[in-house]
Amino acid sequence: SLMIIVGAIVGIVVLFNVYKNFYVIPLEKEAQTEMYMAELYFQKDSFNLALNGDGQYLGFLDVADDYGSTNVGKLANYYAGLCYLHIGEYETSIEYLEGFTSDDMILSSLSKGCIGDAYMQLGDINNAMDAYEDAISNSNNEFTAPRYMMKLAMIYEENGEYEDALKLYRLIQIDFQTSVEASGIEKYISRAE
């Protein structure tokens, strides 16, 4: 029975390696190739072409559908959400951004923050605040955290919650001194005081 258990374990390891090397990796490369033109259209602010493709090349929507199990397919959801955000279809943007998952802390934080931006455009302040808080707590780095702290603090100010806004402004000033947001933070602190 020990030989059967060892044989089963070795068989599972071999099958996993075959699956990974002969299916997953080639599928990932194929998805990267398919998404290349959509990324170029995105960089040129041609969001409809980036989303739907141009007839010859796939757009982000097709890449997300056809290669959804790959990392590139998941990234296509993120790009699709950004495209919808840019063209003003905020509810669809939220749907695609919520469908994006990543181990990359910066990308996942940006995704959560963009969800907040979409909610702000829809006038849903409470969900926007929740999304910004998620983005801040998701990754406490110099790039994303101060960006969404600033947006959240401005909402607090608009709501007359100056103490909460002031706390965030001071956090940016102390903890994220080298961030872009910290460069002019004194005027926001003065305004909130």
Side-chain angles (χ1 to χ4, degrees):
S1 70
L2 181 62
M3 292 298 285
I4 293 173
I5 293 171
V6 170
I9 292 171
V10 168
I12 290 170
V13 169
V14 168
L15 284 174
F16 177 75
N17 284 330
V18 168
Y19 170 76
K20 182 179 174 187
N21 292 324
F22 293 104
Y23 180 73
V24 174
I25 292 174
L27 191 64
E28 195 79 43
K29 288 179 182 178
E30 183 181 327
Q32 284 177 324
T33 303
E34 292 292 341
M35 197 164 84
Y36 176 74
M37 284 304 293
E39 289 176 307
L40 286 180
Y41 286 131
F42 181 82
Q43 291 170 4
K44 295 177 183 179
D45 294 341
S46 299
F47 300 116
N48 284 320
L49 286 173
L51 276 171
N52 302 307
D54 59 7
Q56 185 176 359
Y57 298 101
L58 296 179
F60 293 128
L61 298 177
D62 290 329
V63 172
D65 286 342
D66 296 349
Y67 302 98
S69 62
T70 67
N71 289 330
V72 175
K74 292 174 186 172
L75 186 60
N77 278 318
Y78 172 72
Y79 274 121
L82 291 182
C83 288
Y84 281 120
L85 185 62
H86 283 289
I87 62 175
E89 294 186 28
Y90 305 116
E91 291 167 349
T92 308
S93 173
I94 292 167
E95 180 183 321
Y96 276 93
L97 289 168
E98 285 178 343
F100 171 70
T101 57
S102 175
D103 294 334
D104 185 309
M105 289 297 127
I106 292 180
L107 271 182
S108 60
S109 294
L110 286 171
S111 174
K112 291 174 188 306
C114 288
I115 291 170
D117 293 343
Y119 277 124
M120 282 298 290
Q121 293 296 325
L122 291 170
D124 188 344
I125 304 298
N126 292 330
N127 279 326
M129 290 173 71
D130 290 343
Y132 291 146
E133 288 169 358
D134 287 347
I136 294 164
S137 64
N138 186 60
S139 176
N140 201 11
N141 65 66
E142 291 280 325
F143 180 64
T144 58
R147 171 186 288 196
Y148 297 117
M149 284 178 168
M150 196 72 163
K151 290 185 179 200
L152 186 57
M154 288 184 176
I155 294 172
Y156 282 139
E157 270 195 74
E158 287 179 24
N159 292 341
E161 300 170 31
Y162 298 107
E163 290 288 324
D164 292 329
L166 189 58
K167 286 178 190 174
L168 287 173
Y169 291 143
R170 287 203 172 123
L171 272 175
I172 293 169
Q173 183 183 37
I174 295 167
D175 294 346
F176 302 102
Q177 296 174 4
T178 60
S179 69
V180 173
E181 290 77 13
S183 64
I185 200 69
E186 290 81 13
K187 68 180 176 183
Y188 294 100
I189 290 173
S190 298
R191 188 173 70 195
E193 287 176 334

